[in-house]
C-alpha cells in the first residue's frame, strides 16, 4: 500500500509540473484591430489591460506594406527613434516569445507612425502573482536577446494542453498497472 501512495504522489507531482509549465498565453497586440495607425488604437491602454509573463507570446499582425515592428530601448521608445533597433520584424505576422521579465518596448519604424501612437510597452511581471509596478517606479528598458519564434501560431497553446493530457494518461495508466499488480 505504501508503494501505491508513493506512485500516486509521484503522478500528482508530474501532472502539477506539466500544468505549471504550460500557462503561456498568446497576446495579439491591439486585439482585433492589430498593429495599425487606423482606428485610434490606444496601445498603452491595451497593454495596461493585460498581464504578461515570461513565456508568453506577443503577436503583431499588420499590413507589411505599411508597417513594421521594431524592438527598441526605453529612450528610443520615448523619442520614437527607429534608427538602430534592437530587433526588426516585417512579415506582417510576427510572433515574439517573451523570455525575460521587465519592460519590452516596440514601435513602428515607419516615419510618423510611432509619433501617432503606434508603440507599445510590454511590461512582463517578475512573478505570476506580482503586481505591475506603478509608472513612477518602472525601470528603464531591460535588454533581451531573442529572435522571433519561427512558425509559432495560435495552435501552440493547444499543443501544450494536448501534451498535458498525454502525461496525465500515462500517469493514470502507470498507476492502474501498479494497483492491479498489487491486488
Amino acid at each position: 500500500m505504501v508503494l501505491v501512495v508513493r506512485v500516486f504522489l509521484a503522478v500528482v507531482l508530474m501532472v502539477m509540473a506539466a500544468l505549471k509549465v504550460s500557462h503561456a498565453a498568446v497576446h495579439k497586440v491591439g486585439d482585433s484591430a492589430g498593429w495599425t495607425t487606423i482606428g485610434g488604437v490606444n496601445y498603452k491602454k491595451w497593454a495596461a489591460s493585460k498581464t504578461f509573463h515570461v513565456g508568453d507570446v506577443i503577436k503583431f499582425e499588420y499590413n507589411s506594406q505599411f508597417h513594421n515592428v521594431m524592438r527598441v530601448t526605453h529612450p528610443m521608445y520615448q523619442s520614437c527613434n527607429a534608427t538602430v533597433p534592437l530587433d526588426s520584424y516585417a512579415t506582417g505576422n510576427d510572433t515574439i516569445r517573451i523570455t525575460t521579465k521587465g519592460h519590452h518596448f516596440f514601435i513602428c519604424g515607419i516615419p510618423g507612425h510611432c509619433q501617432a501612437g503606434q508603440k507599445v510597452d510590454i511590461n512582463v511581471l517578475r512573478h505570476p502573482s506580482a503586481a505591475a509596478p506603478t509608472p513612477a517606479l518602472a525601470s528603464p528598458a531591460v535588454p533581451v536577446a531573442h529572435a522571433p519564434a519561427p512558425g509559432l501560431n495560435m495552435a501552440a497553446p493547444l499543443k501544450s494542453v494536448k501534451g498535458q493530457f498525454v502525461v496525465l494518461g500515462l500517469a493514470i495508466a502507470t498507476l492502474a498497472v501498479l494497483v492491479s499488480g498489487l491486488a
Side-chain angles (χ1 to χ4, degrees):
M1 187 59 152
V2 172
L3 179 62
V4 172
V5 171
R6 285 186 180 171
V7 170
F8 180 73
L9 289 175
V11 169
V12 168
L13 288 174
M14 285 180 5
V15 171
M16 287 174 56
L19 291 174
K20 183 175 181 179
V21 169
S22 65
H23 283 298
V26 176
H27 301 279
K28 180 181 172 189
V29 177
D31 292 327
S32 62
W35 185 240
T36 183
T37 53
I38 300 171
V41 180
N42 184 334
Y43 293 106
K44 184 174 185 174
K45 186 176 179 180
W46 173 85
S49 73
K50 309 291 182 210
T51 302
F52 302 101
H53 301 287
V54 170
D56 285 358
V57 173
I58 308 304
K59 185 175 181 91
F60 289 88
E61 289 183 2
Y62 55 94
N63 185 330
S64 61
Q65 293 178 340
F66 302 107
H67 304 287
N68 60 32
V69 177
M70 296 186 169
R71 187 174 66 86
V72 296
T73 64
H74 186 243
M76 293 170 74
Y77 172 83
Q78 289 181 311
S79 65
C80 290
N81 179 352
T83 56
V84 186
L86 301 172
D87 289 311
S88 295
Y89 308 91
T91 69
N93 190 21
D94 305 314
T95 55
I96 303 163
R97 183 169 301 280
I98 300 298
T99 59
T100 60
K101 64 186 182 217
H103 291 267
H104 302 268
F105 301 100
F106 299 93
I107 65 173
C108 180
I110 304 300
H113 289 201
C114 178
Q115 291 85 347
Q118 196 175 5
K119 62 184 191 174
V120 66
D121 171 5
I122 305 294
N123 185 15
V124 180
L125 299 177
R126 297 177 192 278
H127 186 272
S129 62
T134 60
L137 300 176
S139 63
V142 177
V144 292
H146 68 279
L152 189 62
N153 61 32
M154 295 299 282
L158 180 58
K159 288 179 184 175
S160 70
V161 170
K162 269 174 59 177
Q164 290 172 13
F165 284 115
V166 169
V167 170
L168 181 60
L170 289 173
I172 291 171
T174 303
L175 182 60
V177 167
L178 287 172
V179 169
S180 67
L182 293 174

